[in-house]
Amino acid sequence: MRIAELCRQSGVPVPTIKYYLREALLPPGELTSPNQASYGEAHLRRLRLIRALVDLGQVPIARVKEILEGLDSESMTLHEQIGRAHRAITPTRTPTATTDARTAATLQVNDLIARRGWTVEPDAPALTTLIETVAALRSLDQDHLVAFLDSYADAVEKFTALEVAAVTERTDRDQIAESVVIGTVLGETLISSLRLLAQESLSAARWRAPR
């Protein structure tokens, strides 16, 4: 298909498609003449992936490029591709908690990981984020929420196991890698949305004024 048809089918404007091509987020099309190129289903799929990461996942373009480079790598293991995606989507956090709260949070989080037998790299961005979040909750006198950490871990482990099981049913390695990345990025949006809806429902049941 020509770029105009790629635009029509994907819903992505032509100038944006050309920008993705320049930035190497989208592979070049097959040249049919000096000024014309043809694009296929792989380009359409990649465009939809980019837009999902940007629009729904709120991932910055520079980080999207990191994720896609990992997916396109022929030398990285699947575990390394997943790690690259994790590092790309996890924002850098500015510490706000007290030193005492951070020390206590570090001990609690490391103990949780050890007890559950999770294999986590010491420099994993999500590890830092979790420690800073627990420390912030402690600094804000929200220790009752910190006490739920094991329950949160139970819930997360269950649905993560379901995700991994579903993904591993695929036979193509590239599809597995792409599915894991999509599930990681959009799964965050999915879980967050469900949690907000559940909170709204429970809040309405407990505190909404009678109509």
Short mmCIF file of all heavy atoms in Angstrom, two decimals, residues 52-82:
data_model
loop_
_atom_site.label_atom_id
_atom_site.label_comp_id
_atom_site.label_asym_id
_atom_site.label_seq_id
_atom_site.Cartn_x
_atom_site.Cartn_y
_atom_site.Cartn_z
N ALA A 52 -0.49 2.96 20.30
CA ALA A 52 -0.98 2.42 21.58
C ALA A 52 -0.02 2.80 22.71
O ALA A 52 -0.44 3.21 23.80
CB ALA A 52 -1.12 0.91 21.50
N LEU A 53 1.29 2.70 22.45
CA LEU A 53 2.28 3.05 23.47
C LEU A 53 2.22 4.54 23.79
O LEU A 53 2.30 4.94 24.95
CB LEU A 53 3.69 2.68 22.98
CG LEU A 53 3.98 1.18 22.80
CD1 LEU A 53 5.37 0.98 22.21
CD2 LEU A 53 3.85 0.43 24.11
N VAL A 54 2.07 5.36 22.75
CA VAL A 54 2.09 6.82 22.94
C VAL A 54 0.77 7.31 23.53
O VAL A 54 0.75 8.06 24.52
CB VAL A 54 2.37 7.53 21.60
CG1 VAL A 54 2.19 9.04 21.74
CG2 VAL A 54 3.79 7.22 21.12
N ASP A 55 -0.35 6.90 22.93
CA ASP A 55 -1.65 7.46 23.32
C ASP A 55 -2.21 6.85 24.60
O ASP A 55 -2.70 7.56 25.48
CB ASP A 55 -2.66 7.28 22.18
CG ASP A 55 -2.30 8.10 20.95
OD1 ASP A 55 -1.54 9.07 21.10
OD2 ASP A 55 -2.76 7.76 19.85
N LEU A 56 -2.17 5.53 24.70
CA LEU A 56 -2.74 4.86 25.87
C LEU A 56 -1.70 4.67 26.98
O LEU A 56 -1.98 4.89 28.15
CB LEU A 56 -3.32 3.50 25.48
CG LEU A 56 -4.62 3.55 24.66
CD1 LEU A 56 -5.01 2.15 24.23
CD2 LEU A 56 -5.74 4.17 25.48
N GLY A 57 -0.50 4.26 26.57
CA GLY A 57 0.54 4.03 27.56
C GLY A 57 1.23 5.28 28.04
O GLY A 57 1.94 5.26 29.05
N GLN A 58 1.02 6.41 27.30
CA GLN A 58 1.65 7.69 27.64
C GLN A 58 3.18 7.58 27.72
O GLN A 58 3.83 8.20 28.56
CB GLN A 58 1.10 8.22 28.97
CG GLN A 58 -0.39 8.53 28.95
CD GLN A 58 -0.72 9.71 28.04
OE1 GLN A 58 -0.31 10.83 28.28
NE2 GLN A 58 -1.48 9.45 26.99
N VAL A 59 3.74 6.75 26.82
CA VAL A 59 5.19 6.58 26.77
C VAL A 59 5.78 7.63 25.83
O VAL A 59 5.32 7.76 24.70
CB VAL A 59 5.57 5.16 26.27
CG1 VAL A 59 7.09 4.99 26.25
CG2 VAL A 59 4.90 4.10 27.13
N PRO A 60 6.78 8.40 26.27
CA PRO A 60 7.40 9.40 25.39
C PRO A 60 8.02 8.74 24.16
O PRO A 60 8.48 7.60 24.22
CB PRO A 60 8.48 10.04 26.27
CG PRO A 60 8.06 9.75 27.67
CD PRO A 60 7.35 8.43 27.63
N ILE A 61 8.07 9.48 23.06
CA ILE A 61 8.58 8.95 21.80
C ILE A 61 9.99 8.38 21.96
O ILE A 61 10.31 7.31 21.44
CB ILE A 61 8.56 10.03 20.70
CG1 ILE A 61 7.13 10.24 20.19
CG2 ILE A 61 9.44 9.63 19.53
CD1 ILE A 61 6.56 9.05 19.43
N ALA A 62 10.86 9.09 22.68
CA ALA A 62 12.23 8.61 22.85
C ALA A 62 12.26 7.25 23.54
O ALA A 62 13.07 6.38 23.20
CB ALA A 62 13.04 9.62 23.66
N ARG A 63 11.35 7.05 24.49
CA ARG A 63 11.29 5.77 25.19
C ARG A 63 10.66 4.69 24.30
O ARG A 63 11.01 3.51 24.39
CB ARG A 63 10.49 5.92 26.49
CG ARG A 63 11.13 6.88 27.49
CD ARG A 63 12.51 6.40 27.92
NE ARG A 63 13.14 7.27 28.88
CZ ARG A 63 13.01 7.18 30.19
NH1 ARG A 63 12.22 6.27 30.71
NH2 ARG A 63 13.66 8.00 30.98
N VAL A 64 9.69 5.10 23.47
CA VAL A 64 9.10 4.16 22.51
C VAL A 64 10.19 3.61 21.60
O VAL A 64 10.23 2.41 21.29
CB VAL A 64 7.99 4.84 21.68
CG1 VAL A 64 7.55 3.93 20.53
CG2 VAL A 64 6.79 5.17 22.56
N LYS A 65 11.08 4.49 21.17
CA LYS A 65 12.18 4.07 20.30
C LYS A 65 13.05 3.03 21.00
O LYS A 65 13.47 2.04 20.38
CB LYS A 65 13.02 5.28 19.90
CG LYS A 65 14.06 4.97 18.83
CD LYS A 65 14.72 6.23 18.32
CE LYS A 65 15.68 5.93 17.17
NZ LYS A 65 16.30 7.16 16.63
N GLU A 66 13.33 3.22 22.29
CA GLU A 66 14.12 2.25 23.04
C GLU A 66 13.41 0.88 23.07
O GLU A 66 14.04 -0.16 22.90
CB GLU A 66 14.34 2.73 24.47
CG GLU A 66 15.27 3.91 24.61
CD GLU A 66 15.43 4.31 26.07
OE1 GLU A 66 15.42 3.41 26.94
OE2 GLU A 66 15.55 5.51 26.34
N ILE A 67 12.10 0.91 23.31
CA ILE A 67 11.33 -0.33 23.36
C ILE A 67 11.37 -1.05 22.03
O ILE A 67 11.61 -2.27 21.95
CB ILE A 67 9.86 -0.03 23.76
CG1 ILE A 67 9.81 0.48 25.20
CG2 ILE A 67 9.00 -1.29 23.61
CD1 ILE A 67 8.44 0.99 25.61
N LEU A 68 11.16 -0.30 20.94
CA LEU A 68 11.12 -0.90 19.61
C LEU A 68 12.49 -1.44 19.21
O LEU A 68 12.59 -2.50 18.56
CB LEU A 68 10.63 0.12 18.58
CG LEU A 68 9.20 0.63 18.79
CD1 LEU A 68 8.84 1.64 17.72
CD2 LEU A 68 8.21 -0.52 18.78
N GLU A 69 13.57 -0.74 19.58
CA GLU A 69 14.92 -1.23 19.29
C GLU A 69 15.16 -2.56 19.98
O GLU A 69 15.80 -3.46 19.43
CB GLU A 69 15.96 -0.20 19.71
CG GLU A 69 16.04 1.01 18.79
CD GLU A 69 16.96 2.09 19.33
OE1 GLU A 69 17.38 2.00 20.51
OE2 GLU A 69 17.25 3.04 18.58
N GLY A 70 14.63 -2.69 21.20
CA GLY A 70 14.74 -3.95 21.92
C GLY A 70 13.96 -5.06 21.23
O GLY A 70 14.45 -6.18 21.08
N LEU A 71 12.75 -4.74 20.77
CA LEU A 71 11.92 -5.73 20.09
C LEU A 71 12.56 -6.19 18.78
O LEU A 71 12.43 -7.35 18.38
CB LEU A 71 10.53 -5.15 19.79
CG LEU A 71 9.57 -5.02 20.97
CD1 LEU A 71 8.28 -4.36 20.52
CD2 LEU A 71 9.27 -6.39 21.57
N ASP A 72 13.25 -5.27 18.11
CA ASP A 72 13.85 -5.59 16.80
C ASP A 72 15.22 -6.25 16.93
O ASP A 72 15.79 -6.69 15.93
CB ASP A 72 13.98 -4.31 15.96
CG ASP A 72 12.62 -3.76 15.55
OD1 ASP A 72 11.66 -4.54 15.51
OD2 ASP A 72 12.53 -2.55 15.26
N SER A 73 15.76 -6.29 18.15
CA SER A 73 17.09 -6.86 18.34
C SER A 73 17.08 -8.37 18.11
O SER A 73 16.19 -9.08 18.58
CB SER A 73 17.60 -6.56 19.76
OG SER A 73 18.79 -7.28 20.02
N GLU A 74 18.08 -8.85 17.40
CA GLU A 74 18.21 -10.29 17.16
C GLU A 74 19.18 -10.94 18.13
O GLU A 74 19.33 -12.17 18.14
CB GLU A 74 18.67 -10.53 15.72
CG GLU A 74 17.66 -10.07 14.66
CD GLU A 74 18.12 -10.36 13.25
OE1 GLU A 74 19.25 -10.89 13.09
OE2 GLU A 74 17.37 -10.06 12.31
N SER A 75 19.84 -10.14 18.94
CA SER A 75 20.84 -10.68 19.88
C SER A 75 20.34 -10.72 21.32
O SER A 75 20.86 -11.48 22.13
CB SER A 75 22.12 -9.85 19.81
OG SER A 75 21.87 -8.50 20.18
N MET A 76 19.32 -9.91 21.65
CA MET A 76 18.83 -9.86 23.02
C MET A 76 17.93 -11.06 23.32
O MET A 76 17.17 -11.50 22.47
CB MET A 76 18.05 -8.57 23.27
CG MET A 76 18.85 -7.29 23.13
SD MET A 76 17.82 -5.81 23.34
CE MET A 76 17.82 -5.69 25.11
N THR A 77 18.04 -11.58 24.54
CA THR A 77 17.12 -12.62 24.97
C THR A 77 15.76 -11.99 25.25
O THR A 77 15.64 -10.76 25.38
CB THR A 77 17.63 -13.31 26.24
OG1 THR A 77 17.62 -12.35 27.32
CG2 THR A 77 19.03 -13.85 26.05
N LEU A 78 14.75 -12.83 25.36
CA LEU A 78 13.41 -12.33 25.67
C LEU A 78 13.42 -11.60 27.01
O LEU A 78 12.80 -10.55 27.17
CB LEU A 78 12.41 -13.48 25.69
CG LEU A 78 10.96 -13.13 26.00
CD1 LEU A 78 10.42 -12.12 25.01
CD2 LEU A 78 10.09 -14.39 25.98
N HIS A 79 14.15 -12.15 27.99
CA HIS A 79 14.25 -11.51 29.31
C HIS A 79 14.88 -10.12 29.19
O HIS A 79 14.44 -9.18 29.85
CB HIS A 79 15.07 -12.40 30.24
CG HIS A 79 15.19 -11.87 31.63
ND1 HIS A 79 14.11 -11.75 32.48
CD2 HIS A 79 16.26 -11.39 32.33
CE1 HIS A 79 14.51 -11.25 33.64
NE2 HIS A 79 15.80 -11.01 33.57
N GLU A 80 15.90 -9.99 28.35
CA GLU A 80 16.56 -8.70 28.16
C GLU A 80 15.62 -7.71 27.46
O GLU A 80 15.63 -6.52 27.78
CB GLU A 80 17.84 -8.88 27.35
CG GLU A 80 18.95 -9.58 28.11
CD GLU A 80 20.13 -9.96 27.24
OE1 GLU A 80 19.94 -10.12 26.01
OE2 GLU A 80 21.24 -10.11 27.78
N GLN A 81 14.83 -8.20 26.52
CA GLN A 81 13.87 -7.32 25.84
C GLN A 81 12.82 -6.80 26.82
O GLN A 81 12.46 -5.62 26.79
CB GLN A 81 13.18 -8.08 24.70
CG GLN A 81 14.09 -8.37 23.51
CD GLN A 81 13.41 -9.23 22.47
OE1 GLN A 81 12.72 -10.20 22.80
NE2 GLN A 81 13.57 -8.88 21.21
N ILE A 82 12.37 -7.67 27.69
CA ILE A 82 11.38 -7.25 28.70
C ILE A 82 12.01 -6.23 29.64
O ILE A 82 11.40 -5.21 29.97
CB ILE A 82 10.87 -8.48 29.48
CG1 ILE A 82 10.08 -9.41 28.54
CG2 ILE A 82 9.99 -8.04 30.65
CD1 ILE A 82 9.76 -10.76 29.15
#
